[in-house]
């Protein structure tokens, strides 16, 4: 079992990086990814670190896209209210709130799967994220 410079197994450290991405966000993830890229030599661990950050960014971007639609309808509604017209887009907002929660649940499930798979130095294929990681690493 290969160990990191910190004395922890590579697999456990990979799982920790995914957990930090899920629970700690960008700050914790960036610190851990920077450490791994600068100090560790294991290729699987380096790809895991970059994939964790890329997966976090992917879900953030997905959440942004889902959130843009109700925001756009909110702008339209506010503009129409300026001219004395009252229009409600609550149905559309409700649909996208559900979509936002689905994205959040999917993010939790994907990261949970990645954490457990990384304990055996495995991974879950995420086509968009894996393509980016393979292209730039």
């Amino acid at each position: 079992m290969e160990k990191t410079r910190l004395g922890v197994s590579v697999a456990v450290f990979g799982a920790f990086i995914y957990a930090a991405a899920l629970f700690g966000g960008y700050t914790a993830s960036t610190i851990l990814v920077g450490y791994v890229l600068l100090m560790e030599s294991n290729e699987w661990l380096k790809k895991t670190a970059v994939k964790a950050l890329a997966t976090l960014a992917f879900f953030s971007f997905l959440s942004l896209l889902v959130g843009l639609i109700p925001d756009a309808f909110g702008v339209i509604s506010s503009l129409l209210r300026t001219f004395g017209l009252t229009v409600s887009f609550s149905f559309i907002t409700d649909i996208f709130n559900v979509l936002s929660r689905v994205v959040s649940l999917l993010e939790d499930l994907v990261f949970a799967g990645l954490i457990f798979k990384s304990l055996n130095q495995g991974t879950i294929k995420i086509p968009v994220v894996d393509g980016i990681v393979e292209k730039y690493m």
Side-chain angles (χ1 to χ4, degrees), residues 9 11-16 44 113-122:
S9 80
V12 170
F13 200 73
F16 179 69
W44 178 84
L114 286 168
I115 289 168
F116 287 113
K117 289 289 278 187
S118 68
L119 290 172
N120 295 323
Q121 290 189 358

Side-chain angles (χ1 to χ4, degrees), residues 1-5 7-13 40-45 121:
M1 176 184 315
E2 189 175 352
K3 296 200 179 255
T4 64
R5 289 183 171 206
V8 180
S9 80
V10 170
V12 170
F13 200 73
E40 298 296 335
S41 60
N42 185 288
E43 281 301 313
W44 178 84
L45 186 59
Q121 290 189 358

Side-chain angles (χ1 to χ4, degrees), residues 74-137:
V75 168
I76 293 169
S77 178
S78 295
L79 182 66
L80 291 176
R81 239 182 278 125
T82 303
F83 297 108
L85 298 171
T86 303
V87 178
S88 176
F89 296 108
S90 63
F91 178 75
I92 293 171
T93 302
D94 290 342
I95 289 173
F96 281 96
N97 283 339
V98 169
L99 281 175
S100 178
R101 291 185 185 261
V102 167
V103 168
S104 179
L105 176 66
L106 185 61
E107 177 182 15
D108 291 345
L109 292 173
V110 166
F111 271 106
L114 286 168
I115 289 168
F116 287 113
K117 289 289 278 187
S118 68
L119 290 172
N120 295 323
Q121 290 189 358
T123 190
I124 295 174
K125 296 288 183 193
I126 306 169
V128 174
V129 175
D130 287 335
I132 291 170
V133 171
E134 290 298 322
K135 183 177 180 180
Y136 294 107
M137 286 249 352

Side-chain angles (χ1 to χ4, degrees), residues 6-76:
L6 297 174
V8 180
S9 80
V10 170
V12 170
F13 200 73
F16 179 69
I17 292 170
Y18 283 126
L22 178 60
F23 300 117
Y26 285 101
T27 303
S29 298
T30 303
I31 291 169
L32 288 173
V33 170
Y35 165 77
V36 168
L37 291 177
L38 291 173
M39 303 302 287
E40 298 296 335
S41 60
N42 185 288
E43 281 301 313
W44 178 84
L45 186 59
K46 286 183 176 187
K47 283 189 177 185
T48 296
V50 172
K51 183 174 182 174
L53 198 58
T55 304
L56 189 62
F58 171 74
F59 279 108
S60 293
F61 185 71
L62 201 56
S63 294
L64 170 82
L65 289 179
V66 169
L68 280 176
I69 305 300
D71 289 347
F73 280 107
V75 168
I76 293 169

